[in-house]
Every structure is written in C-alpha cells, then in structure tokens.
Amino acid sequence: MRLGYHSITWGGVVGDATGVTSIKDLYYRANGSMEQAVRDIAAAGYEGTEMFDGNVAAYADRPDDLRELLDSAAVELVSVYTGANFVYADALPDELYRVERAAELAATFGARSLVVGGGARRAAGTPSEDYDRLAAALDRITDIAERQGLSASYHPHLSTIVESPDELERLMSRTRIGFCPDTAHLAAGGGDPAALIRRYPDRIRHVHLKDLRPEPLAFLPLGAGVLDFPDILRALREAGYDSWLIVELDAYEGDPREAAESSRAYLDKLLDA
C-alpha cells in the first residue's frame, strides 16, 4: 500500500459561489495554494495526493503547470474528489455534466480514481426513493469514470443521507459503485470502520484515513484520536486491498505540513510492525 495525502488541509474546503445560481459550475475547492500543498506533501514523505475537482479545474487552461508541479515534487495525482446532491431530478443532468468534467480532468493528469460524495438530506426528510435516485446516479458515474479509465468509489459523509451503517447498506445494496471508507466519517456516523471494511471487502477501491475525537467532534491527525488503526489496517489487508491510503485531514490549526508529518510517522510505525 502506498501513502498519499489530500490537499484539503491547505486552506480547508469551500465551494465556488457561482454554484449558488449555476449548478454545473459548483466545484469543491481547497482554499489554499496547491503549489505549497504539493511541495509540503512531498517533503512529508508521501508519494501521492488527492485534489478536489475545483482545484484541478483551475489548471484546465494551463495543464503543463500542474504536470510540472507534480513532476518536480515526485508526487502523483492519485485521485480527484467530487460530489453533488444526486436526488433532485431537474438538477441531475448539470451535476453529471460537472462530474464528467472532473473525470476528464482526472484522466488528463494521470489520476487513477474518482471519489464521489453526496446524496442530499432534504429539509422535509429522506424518502426511500432518494436512495434509489442516489444509487442510479452513482451507477452512471461509474460508467463515466470507466470511460476515462478511472475507478469510481463512493465516500460516505456526514450531512448526507449516507452517514450510518444502516444508511450505507441501503445504498450499497442498490448500486455497483466502489466503496471508499473514510475512517472518521464512518465512526462519526455510528459505525466501526474496520467492521465496515470487513462487510464490503470486495467493494473497496480507495481509502481515506483520518482520526476522530467524538466529543466535541473533531477530525485529527492519525494517532491523535480514538480510532483503532491497527485493526483498520488488518481489515484492509484481509480484504486484499493493496492500493493507495490517502490521509485526509479537513483542517488543522497549525502548519498543515506538521499534521502531514505526524500522520506519516504514525503510519510508518504501524506499517513496519
């Protein structure tokens, strides 16, 4: 398993304001310097990175700049993260347009994986049909990714209709997309990350690692919270997973590079054990 680090920690995640009135232009973005992020990720000893669709889209008209940045740091763009509501029929074509654009850009820069989050939780509650709508959209995204030579996986996320283990099962039984376990989101949703990895071993296509403090809720560098990473890594090995482990820390009060180094040192101890 190779180690990568998500660029989100450099500035945290924001959405483009144009998306308020133009769904097709609503991207995630890390609100910081990707140049600094890639250099720091390399310095912390990681071989790969994951970026948001909006950060990659910023290089669409100057692709050589991103290629040069990655090459000079000896860091691969492993994956691109995107997401949408996926439950509103009128909005879906524009959402899929944006996902297709993200997949095209991911392939342009040599990424292997398209990671997708979403499934809006309506103000009036979640009808069971929303799981059918989300599943059907994710199957279409799987096709989009495969046309670009990418592997697609779904990332359960707090604030969506896939938080808890029961909600995850409602989705997984309806769709063929791969599974991207995010250790902290799974735990915050009431699940045991290692147990959920063992439940869906054949569906795992990508992995996000971050630690968790339950009260008050906070995402932390690896080893700084309560999650059982030795068991999580055992579960991944049992599943035969041998691809990238992406550390994804949403925010950090100090230097993002410091958090990346801390998680790398913790992982090195576990992987050498």
Side-chain angles (χ1 to χ4, degrees), residues 156 163-165 168 179-194 196-197:
E163 294 184 351
S164 71
L168 179 59
F179 174 35
C180 172
D182 180 295
T183 53
H185 278 281
L186 292 175
D192 176 339
L196 290 168
I197 289 167

Side-chain angles (χ1 to χ4, degrees), residues 65-115:
D65 288 356
L66 181 53
R67 292 191 183 102
E68 182 179 348
L69 171 65
L70 295 167
D71 289 347
S72 65
V75 168
E76 293 184 34
L77 179 64
V78 176
S79 41
V80 171
Y81 188 104
T82 188
N85 296 288
F86 298 133
V87 299
Y88 305 117
D90 287 350
L92 185 60
D94 280 354
E95 291 177 333
L96 292 178
Y97 168 90
R98 180 165 46 78
V99 171
E100 186 148 17
R101 179 63 172 147
E104 290 170 354
L105 288 168
T108 294
F109 294 110
R112 306 177 185 193
S113 296
L114 183 70
V115 188

Side-chain angles (χ1 to χ4, degrees), residues 18-234:
T18 52
V20 175
T21 53
S22 178
I23 291 171
K24 71 177 181 62
D25 298 313
L26 178 57
Y27 290 100
Y28 286 117
R29 282 190 296 110
N31 197 29
S33 167
M34 291 301 95
E35 290 78 11
Q36 187 66 52
V38 169
R39 288 194 293 268
D40 285 352
I41 287 166
Y46 295 90
E47 298 178 271
T49 189
E50 179 172 313
M51 291 183 180
F52 286 123
D53 50 1
N55 293 107
V56 177
Y59 290 95
D61 295 330
R62 48 189 183 100
D64 288 344
D65 288 356
L66 181 53
R67 292 191 183 102
E68 182 179 348
L69 171 65
L70 295 167
D71 289 347
S72 65
V75 168
E76 293 184 34
L77 179 64
V78 176
S79 41
V80 171
Y81 188 104
T82 188
N85 296 288
F86 298 133
V87 299
Y88 305 117
D90 287 350
L92 185 60
D94 280 354
E95 291 177 333
L96 292 178
Y97 168 90
R98 180 165 46 78
V99 171
E100 186 148 17
R101 179 63 172 147
E104 290 170 354
L105 288 168
T108 294
F109 294 110
R112 306 177 185 193
S113 296
L114 183 70
V115 188
V116 184
R121 197 176 287 279
R122 301 173 190 259
T126 304
S128 61
E129 293 80 8
D130 277 358
Y131 290 94
D132 295 324
R133 296 182 183 104
L134 174 57
L138 294 175
D139 282 347
R140 293 178 66 180
I141 288 168
T142 301
D143 292 336
I144 288 170
E146 289 175 351
R147 286 197 294 271
Q148 296 295 335
L150 304 171
S151 173
S153 58
Y154 179 77
H155 178 301
H157 204 288
L158 296 178
S159 81
T160 72
I161 63 173
V162 185
E163 294 184 351
S164 71
D166 287 346
E167 290 171 340
L168 179 59
E169 175 58 29
R170 293 184 75 178
L171 176 67
M172 294 293 280
S173 63
R174 288 168 161 85
T175 182
R176 63 187 176 88
I177 199 169
F179 174 35
C180 172
D182 180 295
T183 53
H185 278 281
L186 292 175
D192 176 339
L196 290 168
I197 289 167
R198 292 183 172 105
R199 183 184 296 182
Y200 306 107
D202 297 333
R203 302 287 292 275
I204 298 170
R205 302 289 181 270
H206 196 64
V207 174
H208 280 184
L209 301 178
K210 55 176 168 274
D211 215 334
L212 175 73
R213 182 184 68 206
E215 295 291 341
L217 179 67
F219 297 141
L220 302 172
L222 305 187
V226 301
L227 298 190
D228 186 349
F229 283 101
D231 195 34
I232 289 167
L233 291 178
R234 277 195 299 272

